[in-house]
Amino acid sequence: MRKVAENLERIKQQINDACRNAGRDPEVVKLIAVTKYVSIERAEEALKAGIYNLGENRDEELLKKWEVLQDKPIWHFIGTLQSRKVKNIIDKVEYIHSLDRLSLATEINKRANRVIKCLVQVNVSGEESKHGISFEDAAGFIEELSKFQNISIVGLMTMAPFTQDEQLLRSCFRKLRELRDQIREKNWAHAPCTELSMGMSNDYLYAIEEGATMIRIGTALVGEDD
Ligand SMILES: *Cc1c(COP(=O)(O)O)cnc(C)c1O
């Protein structure tokens, strides 16, 4: 496996190029290393390379890594979250990217003893296999979340379809950005909604050009254990 630092070097360069193309400041694009496929040692290597935001999509795996790394990284929970698992991770994570239903919000709000930064996951592509609230229902859902004191909606998240079709990918990202802008304009106190979590190994350059503020990269950055 290539060193994380080498991958990081290359990815940073690409982030800079994409930002230049789009007239954006690279400083506002937060890189999250998705460590779900790799060992604790590899996650530590990412930390040593200067990546402080780590993403995991399963509670068991996050807890295993947390035992060793504790709160050295900023932990992002990026996967589908069952309500009964919330209590396991709530004190460990800074961000939850996968809020997509009221029952989950109720549980997060109940279990948290501080304000949790949440992103609402939106199923922009409408693919049945994808989690997330539908595009049409997202704004109404976010409005309803104002009743939860321990939840701040800091942004929106999506997973694009797995495709190389540039137009399809860009249109998916653009729609999420437009939705983010609409919600931001409402000035809801509980939903500053500045972040756009979109872009993975396959599509992050397009995502950045379309406005991503958080990219979630696994394979291209920390690789996959075999
Ligand atoms: C696995 C995963 C990623 C990273 O995927 P790569 O293609 O390996 O970069 C990003 N976001 C979510 C929600 C994931 O589950």
Side-chain angles (χ1 to χ4, degrees):
M1 250 193 306
R2 219 182 275 129
K3 289 206 178 82
V4 174
E6 277 174 44
N7 292 334
L8 178 62
E9 194 65 29
R10 191 184 67 247
I11 288 170
K12 266 190 182 162
Q13 192 57 52
Q14 288 172 339
I15 293 174
N16 286 339
D17 291 348
C19 283
R20 188 166 329 105
N21 290 342
R24 301 187 60 212
D25 175 4
E27 292 296 313
V28 305
V29 180
K30 192 176 282 172
L31 175 61
I32 302 169
V34 176
T35 49
K36 67 184 186 194
Y37 311 111
V38 299
S39 65
I40 295 174
E41 291 70 29
R42 192 72 170 165
E44 277 180 312
E45 192 187 331
L47 282 175
K48 288 209 184 83
I51 305 168
Y52 296 106
N53 291 280
L54 300 188
E56 283 286 337
N57 71 338
R58 288 175 51 237
D59 68 313
E60 298 92 339
E61 194 55 38
L62 188 142
L63 292 175
K64 233 167 63 187
K65 291 197 173 84
W66 201 89
E67 285 303 316
V68 177
L69 303 175
Q70 305 273 314
D71 55 5
K72 265 186 271 173
I74 295 168
W75 290 104
H76 296 250
F77 194 86
I78 61 171
T80 308
L81 185 54
Q82 291 171 283
S83 295
R84 65 190 171 84
K85 302 279 182 79
V86 167
K87 59 179 184 302
N88 302 340
I89 61 147
I90 195 78
D91 295 332
K92 317 247 178 327
V93 300
E94 182 86 12
Y95 293 89
I96 295 175
H97 290 236
S98 46
L99 178 54
D100 63 355
R101 57 195 192 279
L102 220 46
S103 55
L104 180 58
T106 305
E107 184 67 12
I108 292 172
N109 188 62
K110 185 171 120 190
R111 298 286 180 180
N113 50 22
R114 66 198 155 98
V115 175
I116 307 291
K117 296 175 192 147
C118 294
L119 292 91
V120 167
Q121 182 172 356
V122 183
N123 183 357
V124 179
S125 65
E127 286 176 294
E128 269 181 40
S129 61
K130 290 264 188 316
H131 289 273
I133 191 153
S134 74
F135 191 81
E136 292 72 28
D137 292 340
F141 173 63
I142 292 171
E143 188 169 17
E144 252 188 291
L145 299 174
S146 67
K147 63 184 178 203
F148 297 118
Q149 284 181 347
N150 290 334
I151 292 180
S152 175
I153 302 302
V154 299
L156 304 180
M157 182 274 228
T158 200
M159 287 177 81
F162 192 73
T163 173
Q164 303 294 338
D165 182 338
E166 177 177 346
Q167 289 318 313
L168 193 61
L169 291 167
R170 284 188 185 274
S171 103
C172 173
F173 297 142
R174 205 170 303 139
K175 279 186 193 154
L176 195 73
R177 186 188 68 215
E178 287 165 3
L179 182 61
R180 191 271 318 258
D181 292 345
Q182 281 171 29
I183 290 163
R184 203 160 52 169
E185 277 168 20
K186 310 237 188 226
N187 285 313
W188 289 327
H190 73 290
C193 209
T194 51
E195 306 284 354
L196 272 178
S197 169
M198 55 190 198
M200 311 178 13
S201 292
N202 178 49
D203 54 22
Y204 68 93
L205 293 178
Y206 300 141
I208 291 170
E209 290 187 5
E210 300 297 342
T213 65
M214 294 173 156
I215 53 176
R216 312 178 308 268
I217 306 191
T219 320
L221 181 57
V222 292
E224 277 176 271
D225 280 349
D226 39 38

mmCIF file of all heavy atoms in Angstrom, residues 62-87:
data_model
loop_
_atom_site.group_PDB
_atom_site.id
_atom_site.type_symbol
_atom_site.label_atom_id
_atom_site.label_comp_id
_atom_site.label_asym_id
_atom_site.label_seq_id
_atom_site.Cartn_x
_atom_site.Cartn_y
_atom_site.Cartn_z
ATOM 1 N N LEU A 62 -16.023 2.094 14.669
ATOM 2 C CA LEU A 62 -15.666 3.381 15.269
ATOM 3 C C LEU A 62 -15.227 3.185 16.721
ATOM 4 O O LEU A 62 -14.213 3.726 17.161
ATOM 5 C CB LEU A 62 -16.850 4.351 15.194
ATOM 6 C CG LEU A 62 -16.515 5.781 15.613
ATOM 7 C CD1 LEU A 62 -17.254 6.782 14.726
ATOM 8 C CD2 LEU A 62 -16.838 6.072 17.064
ATOM 9 N N LEU A 63 -15.967 2.356 17.443
ATOM 10 C CA LEU A 63 -15.633 2.136 18.855
ATOM 11 C C LEU A 63 -14.273 1.469 19.010
ATOM 12 O O LEU A 63 -13.491 1.819 19.896
ATOM 13 C CB LEU A 63 -16.718 1.298 19.540
ATOM 14 C CG LEU A 63 -18.058 2.019 19.698
ATOM 15 C CD1 LEU A 63 -19.115 1.092 20.267
ATOM 16 C CD2 LEU A 63 -17.898 3.253 20.580
ATOM 17 N N LYS A 64 -13.988 0.514 18.119
ATOM 18 C CA LYS A 64 -12.706 -0.172 18.168
ATOM 19 C C LYS A 64 -11.556 0.813 17.960
ATOM 20 O O LYS A 64 -10.561 0.793 18.686
ATOM 21 C CB LYS A 64 -12.660 -1.243 17.052
ATOM 22 C CG LYS A 64 -12.313 -2.607 17.555
ATOM 23 C CD LYS A 64 -12.570 -3.719 16.546
ATOM 24 C CE LYS A 64 -11.735 -3.605 15.279
ATOM 25 N NZ LYS A 64 -12.164 -4.620 14.268
ATOM 26 N N LYS A 65 -11.708 1.678 17.007
ATOM 27 C CA LYS A 65 -10.648 2.656 16.758
ATOM 28 C C LYS A 65 -10.614 3.719 17.853
ATOM 29 O O LYS A 65 -9.554 4.206 18.240
ATOM 30 C CB LYS A 65 -10.843 3.299 15.380
ATOM 31 C CG LYS A 65 -10.586 2.313 14.226
ATOM 32 C CD LYS A 65 -10.373 3.035 12.922
ATOM 33 C CE LYS A 65 -9.946 2.104 11.795
ATOM 34 N NZ LYS A 65 -11.081 1.442 11.119
ATOM 35 N N TRP A 66 -11.786 4.028 18.379
ATOM 36 C CA TRP A 66 -11.844 5.048 19.428
ATOM 37 C C TRP A 66 -11.101 4.594 20.683
ATOM 38 O O TRP A 66 -10.456 5.395 21.347
ATOM 39 C CB TRP A 66 -13.300 5.389 19.771
ATOM 40 C CG TRP A 66 -13.430 6.720 20.433
ATOM 41 C CD1 TRP A 66 -13.605 7.931 19.831
ATOM 42 C CD2 TRP A 66 -13.373 6.978 21.847
ATOM 43 N NE1 TRP A 66 -13.654 8.927 20.768
ATOM 44 C CE2 TRP A 66 -13.518 8.379 22.014
ATOM 45 C CE3 TRP A 66 -13.207 6.176 22.978
ATOM 46 C CZ2 TRP A 66 -13.511 8.987 23.263
ATOM 47 C CZ3 TRP A 66 -13.184 6.794 24.228
ATOM 48 C CH2 TRP A 66 -13.334 8.179 24.365
ATOM 49 N N GLU A 67 -11.188 3.293 20.985
ATOM 50 C CA GLU A 67 -10.482 2.756 22.151
ATOM 51 C C GLU A 67 -9.009 3.145 22.132
ATOM 52 O O GLU A 67 -8.407 3.421 23.165
ATOM 53 C CB GLU A 67 -10.562 1.218 22.168
ATOM 54 C CG GLU A 67 -11.906 0.651 22.584
ATOM 55 C CD GLU A 67 -12.344 1.148 23.950
ATOM 56 O OE1 GLU A 67 -11.509 1.177 24.867
ATOM 57 O OE2 GLU A 67 -13.534 1.526 24.088
ATOM 58 N N VAL A 68 -8.424 3.162 20.947
ATOM 59 C CA VAL A 68 -6.994 3.439 20.815
ATOM 60 C C VAL A 68 -6.729 4.932 20.569
ATOM 61 O O VAL A 68 -5.872 5.535 21.197
ATOM 62 C CB VAL A 68 -6.395 2.614 19.650
ATOM 63 C CG1 VAL A 68 -4.924 2.952 19.451
ATOM 64 C CG2 VAL A 68 -6.581 1.129 19.932
ATOM 65 N N LEU A 69 -7.472 5.511 19.667
ATOM 66 C CA LEU A 69 -7.159 6.884 19.233
ATOM 67 C C LEU A 69 -7.864 7.951 20.066
ATOM 68 O O LEU A 69 -7.464 9.113 20.048
ATOM 69 C CB LEU A 69 -7.537 7.057 17.758
ATOM 70 C CG LEU A 69 -6.872 6.072 16.789
ATOM 71 C CD1 LEU A 69 -7.409 6.267 15.378
ATOM 72 C CD2 LEU A 69 -5.355 6.251 16.796
ATOM 73 N N GLN A 70 -8.908 7.514 20.800
ATOM 74 C CA GLN A 70 -9.686 8.414 21.653
ATOM 75 C C GLN A 70 -10.101 9.665 20.871
ATOM 76 O O GLN A 70 -10.542 9.545 19.735
ATOM 77 C CB GLN A 70 -8.874 8.777 22.905
ATOM 78 C CG GLN A 70 -8.385 7.563 23.681
ATOM 79 C CD GLN A 70 -9.388 7.052 24.701
ATOM 80 O OE1 GLN A 70 -9.969 7.827 25.453
ATOM 81 N NE2 GLN A 70 -9.585 5.753 24.733
ATOM 82 N N ASP A 71 -9.939 10.820 21.507
ATOM 83 C CA ASP A 71 -10.423 12.014 20.803
ATOM 84 C C ASP A 71 -9.304 12.787 20.110
ATOM 85 O O ASP A 71 -9.407 13.988 19.901
ATOM 86 C CB ASP A 71 -11.229 12.916 21.742
ATOM 87 C CG ASP A 71 -10.432 13.292 22.971
ATOM 88 O OD1 ASP A 71 -9.229 12.939 23.045
ATOM 89 O OD2 ASP A 71 -11.001 13.935 23.867
ATOM 90 N N LYS A 72 -8.248 12.064 19.733
ATOM 91 C CA LYS A 72 -7.212 12.709 18.916
ATOM 92 C C LYS A 72 -7.784 13.143 17.561
ATOM 93 O O LYS A 72 -7.550 14.256 17.128
ATOM 94 C CB LYS A 72 -6.004 11.779 18.735
ATOM 95 C CG LYS A 72 -4.907 12.041 19.761
ATOM 96 C CD LYS A 72 -3.658 11.224 19.475
ATOM 97 C CE LYS A 72 -3.758 9.887 20.177
ATOM 98 N NZ LYS A 72 -2.681 8.958 19.842
ATOM 99 N N PRO A 73 -8.512 12.252 16.872
ATOM 100 C CA PRO A 73 -9.167 12.716 15.642
ATOM 101 C C PRO A 73 -10.491 13.412 15.949
ATOM 102 O O PRO A 73 -11.039 13.263 17.043
ATOM 103 C CB PRO A 73 -9.458 11.420 14.876
ATOM 104 C CG PRO A 73 -9.030 10.283 15.723
ATOM 105 C CD PRO A 73 -8.677 10.803 17.073
ATOM 106 N N ILE A 74 -10.996 14.124 14.974
ATOM 107 C CA ILE A 74 -12.383 14.580 14.989
ATOM 108 C C ILE A 74 -13.169 13.488 14.279
ATOM 109 O O ILE A 74 -12.908 13.199 13.102
ATOM 110 C CB ILE A 74 -12.514 15.922 14.246
ATOM 111 C CG1 ILE A 74 -11.739 16.996 15.005
ATOM 112 C CG2 ILE A 74 -13.977 16.301 14.065
ATOM 113 C CD1 ILE A 74 -11.564 18.286 14.215
ATOM 114 N N TRP A 75 -14.086 12.855 14.977
ATOM 115 C CA TRP A 75 -14.794 11.702 14.415
ATOM 116 C C TRP A 75 -16.063 12.117 13.691
ATOM 117 O O TRP A 75 -16.875 12.871 14.223
ATOM 118 C CB TRP A 75 -15.154 10.705 15.522
ATOM 119 C CG TRP A 75 -13.961 9.998 16.094
ATOM 120 C CD1 TRP A 75 -13.370 10.250 17.302
ATOM 121 C CD2 TRP A 75 -13.216 8.931 15.501
ATOM 122 N NE1 TRP A 75 -12.305 9.402 17.494
ATOM 123 C CE2 TRP A 75 -12.191 8.584 16.402
ATOM 124 C CE3 TRP A 75 -13.325 8.233 14.292
ATOM 125 C CZ2 TRP A 75 -11.264 7.563 16.128
ATOM 126 C CZ3 TRP A 75 -12.406 7.224 14.022
ATOM 127 C CH2 TRP A 75 -11.393 6.901 14.937
ATOM 128 N N HIS A 76 -16.207 11.577 12.489
ATOM 129 C CA HIS A 76 -17.426 11.805 11.706
ATOM 130 C C HIS A 76 -18.136 10.468 11.536
ATOM 131 O O HIS A 76 -17.527 9.515 11.027
ATOM 132 C CB HIS A 76 -17.082 12.336 10.307
ATOM 133 C CG HIS A 76 -16.408 13.677 10.317
ATOM 134 N ND1 HIS A 76 -17.035 14.822 9.873
ATOM 135 C CD2 HIS A 76 -15.167 14.057 10.718
ATOM 136 C CE1 HIS A 76 -16.196 15.854 9.989
ATOM 137 N NE2 HIS A 76 -15.060 15.413 10.503
ATOM 138 N N PHE A 77 -19.391 10.403 11.901
ATOM 139 C CA PHE A 77 -20.152 9.185 11.617
ATOM 140 C C PHE A 77 -20.868 9.392 10.289
ATOM 141 O O PHE A 77 -21.690 10.295 10.145
ATOM 142 C CB PHE A 77 -21.145 8.857 12.733
ATOM 143 C CG PHE A 77 -21.661 7.456 12.599
ATOM 144 C CD1 PHE A 77 -20.967 6.386 13.134
ATOM 145 C CD2 PHE A 77 -22.811 7.202 11.854
ATOM 146 C CE1 PHE A 77 -21.403 5.080 12.950
ATOM 147 C CE2 PHE A 77 -23.252 5.895 11.666
ATOM 148 C CZ PHE A 77 -22.551 4.834 12.214
ATOM 149 N N ILE A 78 -20.526 8.536 9.306
ATOM 150 C CA ILE A 78 -21.018 8.798 7.946
ATOM 151 C C ILE A 78 -21.971 7.728 7.423
ATOM 152 O O ILE A 78 -22.473 7.842 6.318
ATOM 153 C CB ILE A 78 -19.834 8.934 6.954
ATOM 154 C CG1 ILE A 78 -19.011 7.640 6.912
ATOM 155 C CG2 ILE A 78 -18.947 10.117 7.318
ATOM 156 C CD1 ILE A 78 -17.962 7.633 5.813
ATOM 157 N N GLY A 79 -22.209 6.680 8.213
ATOM 158 C CA GLY A 79 -23.013 5.566 7.694
ATOM 159 C C GLY A 79 -24.444 5.570 8.201
ATOM 160 O O GLY A 79 -24.801 6.361 9.076
ATOM 161 N N THR A 80 -25.211 4.677 7.646
ATOM 162 C CA THR A 80 -26.584 4.489 8.117
ATOM 163 C C THR A 80 -26.550 4.189 9.607
ATOM 164 O O THR A 80 -25.787 3.346 10.055
ATOM 165 C CB THR A 80 -27.219 3.301 7.383
ATOM 166 O OG1 THR A 80 -27.049 3.519 5.989
ATOM 167 C CG2 THR A 80 -28.686 3.181 7.716
ATOM 168 N N LEU A 81 -27.373 4.898 10.367
ATOM 169 C CA LEU A 81 -27.328 4.764 11.822
ATOM 170 C C LEU A 81 -28.661 4.251 12.341
ATOM 171 O O LEU A 81 -29.697 4.884 12.151
ATOM 172 C CB LEU A 81 -26.988 6.133 12.438
ATOM 173 C CG LEU A 81 -26.785 6.208 13.942
ATOM 174 C CD1 LEU A 81 -25.739 5.219 14.434
ATOM 175 C CD2 LEU A 81 -26.384 7.628 14.355
ATOM 176 N N GLN A 82 -28.624 3.088 12.975
ATOM 177 C CA GLN A 82 -29.834 2.575 13.610
ATOM 178 C C GLN A 82 -30.027 3.302 14.924
ATOM 179 O O GLN A 82 -29.068 3.538 15.656
ATOM 180 C CB GLN A 82 -29.688 1.077 13.877
ATOM 181 C CG GLN A 82 -29.690 0.243 12.607
ATOM 182 C CD GLN A 82 -29.329 -1.197 12.919
ATOM 183 O OE1 GLN A 82 -28.157 -1.514 13.135
ATOM 184 N NE2 GLN A 82 -30.329 -2.054 12.979
ATOM 185 N N SER A 83 -31.270 3.613 15.243
ATOM 186 C CA SER A 83 -31.540 4.402 16.448
ATOM 187 C C SER A 83 -30.964 3.751 17.700
ATOM 188 O O SER A 83 -30.424 4.439 18.568
ATOM 189 C CB SER A 83 -33.042 4.621 16.608
ATOM 190 O OG SER A 83 -33.522 5.405 15.541
ATOM 191 N N ARG A 84 -31.049 2.426 17.762
ATOM 192 C CA ARG A 84 -30.564 1.768 18.994
ATOM 193 C C ARG A 84 -29.044 1.832 19.146
ATOM 194 O O ARG A 84 -28.509 1.543 20.206
ATOM 195 C CB ARG A 84 -31.064 0.330 19.078
ATOM 196 C CG ARG A 84 -30.532 -0.562 17.994
ATOM 197 C CD ARG A 84 -31.243 -1.918 17.985
ATOM 198 N NE ARG A 84 -30.852 -2.668 16.803
ATOM 199 C CZ ARG A 84 -29.749 -3.405 16.714
ATOM 200 N NH1 ARG A 84 -28.929 -3.502 17.741
ATOM 201 N NH2 ARG A 84 -29.449 -4.025 15.592
ATOM 202 N N LYS A 85 -28.334 2.223 18.089
ATOM 203 C CA LYS A 85 -26.873 2.336 18.162
ATOM 204 C C LYS A 85 -26.410 3.743 18.569
ATOM 205 O O LYS A 85 -25.231 3.950 18.852
ATOM 206 C CB LYS A 85 -26.252 2.015 16.793
ATOM 207 C CG LYS A 85 -26.593 0.633 16.228
ATOM 208 C CD LYS A 85 -25.705 -0.430 16.847
ATOM 209 C CE LYS A 85 -25.959 -1.822 16.291
ATOM 210 N NZ LYS A 85 -25.355 -2.075 14.987
ATOM 211 N N VAL A 86 -27.337 4.673 18.580
ATOM 212 C CA VAL A 86 -26.954 6.070 18.832
ATOM 213 C C VAL A 86 -26.192 6.217 20.137
ATOM 214 O O VAL A 86 -25.167 6.900 20.218
ATOM 215 C CB VAL A 86 -28.208 6.986 18.822
ATOM 216 C CG1 VAL A 86 -27.885 8.360 19.394
ATOM 217 C CG2 VAL A 86 -28.758 7.108 17.404
ATOM 218 N N LYS A 87 -26.677 5.545 21.176
ATOM 219 C CA LYS A 87 -26.055 5.716 22.494
ATOM 220 C C LYS A 87 -24.590 5.269 22.518
ATOM 221 O O LYS A 87 -23.797 5.749 23.315
ATOM 222 C CB LYS A 87 -26.856 4.991 23.576
ATOM 223 C CG LYS A 87 -27.008 3.491 23.370
ATOM 224 C CD LYS A 87 -27.802 2.911 24.528
ATOM 225 C CE LYS A 87 -27.934 1.401 24.463
ATOM 226 N NZ LYS A 87 -28.576 0.909 23.215
#
